[in-house]
Amino acid sequence: RNLVESVEMSLSNKKKGAQKHQNSYAFKHNKNSKVSHKIDALPNQGLCKHCTDIIEWRKKFHKYKPLTIPRRCNKCQQKAVHRAYHIICDPCSIDLKACAKCLKTDDIANPIRTKEDEEKEMERKLLLVGMRERERRTFLRNEKKNPDSESSKSTTTDPSKPSDSDPELDEFDDLEDLED
C-alpha cells in the first residue's frame, strides 16, 4: 500500500513537458464556404463580454454549430430560443436584463435589437440622407445634446421655413438681447 501511494505521489509531482502535438501553422478556414459566411453573418446579441468572446472564438475556429430547430427557453418554457448556445429567449433576456447564455446581469456587450429599433434607425438614416451637410451636422449635434428628446428629430429640411425650436435662432435671440 505504501509503495502504491509513493508511486502515485511521484507521478503527480512530476513536471509536465510541452504539449505532444504542436500545430505547425495556424488554423485557416475556407473563405469560399457558404456555411462559414452564414455563420459569420449571425449576430451576437444579448450576451455579456465573456460569452461574446466565447462565441466569436467558436465562429473563428469553426466550432460554432447553429441551431436547426428552436430550443426551449429556461424561463418561459416556450420554444423560442433561435440562437445557438443561448439558454433563454430574446424577450426573456430583455426582461431580465441578463446575458442569454450565462444569465449574468453584468453589462450586455451587444444589446438585442428589436424590429422597432431597426425601423427607427432606418428612418433616421433616410432622414440624414435627405439633408444637406449643414443641416445634418446641426441634427447630429442636437441629437447628441438631447438623445431622448423629440426636438432634435423635428428639424426642417427647408431653411426658408425655420421651426420654433431651432437652436440656431435661439442663439441669435440671445445675441440681440445682449446688444440692447
Side-chain angles (χ1 to χ4, degrees):
R1 180 178 167 152
N2 289 340
L3 180 64
V4 172
E5 286 178 6
S6 64
V7 169
E8 287 176 1
M9 290 292 283
S10 65
L11 289 176
S12 64
N13 291 338
K14 193 176 183 183
K15 283 188 177 181
K16 296 183 179 180
Q19 69 186 52
K20 192 170 185 181
H21 300 287
Q22 187 82 31
N23 290 341
S24 57
Y25 59 91
F27 173 77
K28 216 171 171 182
H29 66 84
N30 182 4
K31 291 185 276 186
N32 300 325
S33 170
K34 290 181 182 178
V35 175
S36 63
H37 282 295
K38 194 162 132 183
I39 289 173
D40 288 341
L42 293 173
N44 282 341
Q45 296 177 343
L47 299 172
C48 63
K49 176 78 172 114
H50 179 71
C51 294
T52 302
D53 292 341
I54 290 171
I55 290 186
E56 286 300 321
W57 180 89
R58 284 181 172 275
K59 286 181 178 180
K60 182 178 177 184
F61 291 104
H62 279 250
K63 303 292 183 185
Y64 186 90
K65 186 178 178 193
L67 286 179
T68 55
I69 57 172
R71 270 189 65 184
R72 191 172 299 277
C73 174
N74 285 358
K75 183 173 183 279
C76 66
Q77 302 302 319
Q78 301 293 319
K79 284 202 169 191
V81 180
H82 300 285
R83 299 167 195 229
Y85 309 103
H86 289 215
I87 60 172
I88 60 174
C89 59
D90 292 347
C92 292
S93 177
I94 292 170
D95 292 343
L96 290 173
K97 294 181 180 159
C99 175
K101 185 176 183 291
C102 66
L103 296 179
K104 289 184 182 174
T105 56
D106 296 339
D107 293 331
I108 304 297
N110 295 327
I112 296 171
R113 295 177 53 108
T114 60
K115 291 187 178 189
E116 295 170 358
D117 294 339
E118 290 175 3
E119 288 173 3
K120 285 181 183 178
E121 186 66 26
M122 286 300 294
E123 287 176 12
R124 183 178 172 276
K125 284 182 180 178
L126 288 174
L127 184 66
L128 287 174
V129 167
M131 292 181 178
R132 292 181 298 184
E133 183 67 24
R134 181 176 178 171
E135 294 165 351
R136 187 179 313 121
R137 287 179 187 236
T138 304
F139 177 82
L140 294 172
R141 190 171 48 249
N142 291 338
E143 193 176 64
K144 196 177 213 181
K145 285 181 189 175
N146 308 330
D148 34 314
S149 73
E150 294 295 320
S151 64
S152 65
K153 294 176 181 159
S154 64
T155 58
T156 59
T157 56
D158 188 10
S160 63
K161 298 178 185 176
S163 65
D164 295 332
S165 64
D166 195 356
E168 291 180 3
L169 292 179
D170 293 340
E171 293 173 14
F172 289 122
D173 290 340
D174 294 338
L175 289 174
E176 289 175 2
D177 292 339
L178 292 174
E179 289 176 0
D180 292 335

